[in-house]
Amino acid sequence: KSTGITFNYVISNGSNLFSLPGKVEAGNSNCNSSEWTMFEYVKESNSFKKVTQPLPGKAYWIYNPGKSCEAKVTIKNALGLGDLEKLTPKWNFVAIVPEMIGKKISNMGDCDLAAAFTYNSASRKWENVIDKEINKSYLGKAFAVYSNNECKLGNNSAEPGIPVLPDI
């Protein structure tokens, strides 16, 4: 899954919803990440815990008390939809991976989604993305998704398109 896809993380002053779409290699950056605080959502307790090392395929809040900055990265090994954690009923934070580009989150997998938002850190407002086509500008960001069921984004079937055998 080596990609060569490059994009810029834009980390605004304040809170930013962030994810790693796979293994990334850092390029040019004017960010001072030593000042940042990172938090991960814990579904079981509906709370957030501080983390120091982000993992690919997970979503995090980064609080940047300093100036807005940019970091150029290259995705070395992209994660796919099948690599993401399953969604559980209520709120979930979902990393955006390259396989999502050109699709709508509402059309992925067997999920009954009630809502999907991304956080615009520049305007400090939530933006509804349930029916928006995902493009490359979403890489490095994440979605807050409200699911009505336990489900998996992407195709659940190991061998898609093979019909079930008939009843006898």
Side-chain angles (χ1 to χ4, degrees):
K1 292 186 187 177
S2 200
T3 67
I5 297 171
T6 61
F7 68 94
N8 285 340
Y9 281 109
V10 177
I11 306 295
S12 298
N13 168 267
S15 296
N16 297 264
L17 196 50
F18 154 92
S19 71
L20 293 170
K23 184 177 180 191
V24 298
E25 180 177 273
N28 294 338
S29 171
N30 65 347
C31 294
N32 180 5
S33 60
S34 67
E35 298 177 348
W36 299 351
T37 311
M38 195 175 331
F39 300 93
E40 177 181 8
Y41 180 64
V42 181
K43 292 179 197 181
E44 297 77 23
S45 60
N46 191 28
S47 63
F48 292 88
K49 72 174 182 180
K50 207 175 193 180
V51 293
T52 54
Q53 193 62 45
L55 299 172
K58 298 191 110 190
Y60 302 93
W61 281 105
I62 289 178
Y63 180 74
N64 174 14
K67 293 180 188 165
S68 294
C69 65
E70 285 190 38
K72 184 174 186 167
V73 298
T74 301
I75 303 174
K76 288 297 182 190
N77 298 94
L79 292 177
L81 287 171
D83 298 316
L84 300 177
E85 292 178 354
K86 71 180 178 187
L87 302 186
T88 56
K90 301 203 176 170
W91 286 106
N92 300 265
F93 284 88
V94 178
I96 298 168
V97 297
E99 191 180 334
M100 294 176 171
I101 294 172
K103 299 175 184 168
K104 296 177 183 179
I105 193 149
S106 57
N107 296 341
M108 293 180 206
D110 60 350
C111 297
D112 176 15
L113 302 181
F117 292 90
T118 192
Y119 187 73
N120 182 324
S121 52
S123 68
R124 296 187 171 155
K125 292 188 168 139
W126 288 100
E127 295 176 357
N128 188 341
V129 293
I130 190 103
D131 285 319
K132 279 195 175 170
E133 186 174 298
I134 298 165
N135 60 45
K136 188 178 172 188
S137 71
Y138 286 101
L139 286 175
K141 297 179 182 174
F143 291 147
V145 175
Y146 192 97
S147 181
N148 290 319
N149 64 330
E150 188 172 291
C151 62
K152 192 97 169 111
L153 293 173
N155 196 333
N156 285 346
S157 174
E159 297 176 17
I162 298 174
V164 176
L165 290 171
D167 290 332
I168 299 177

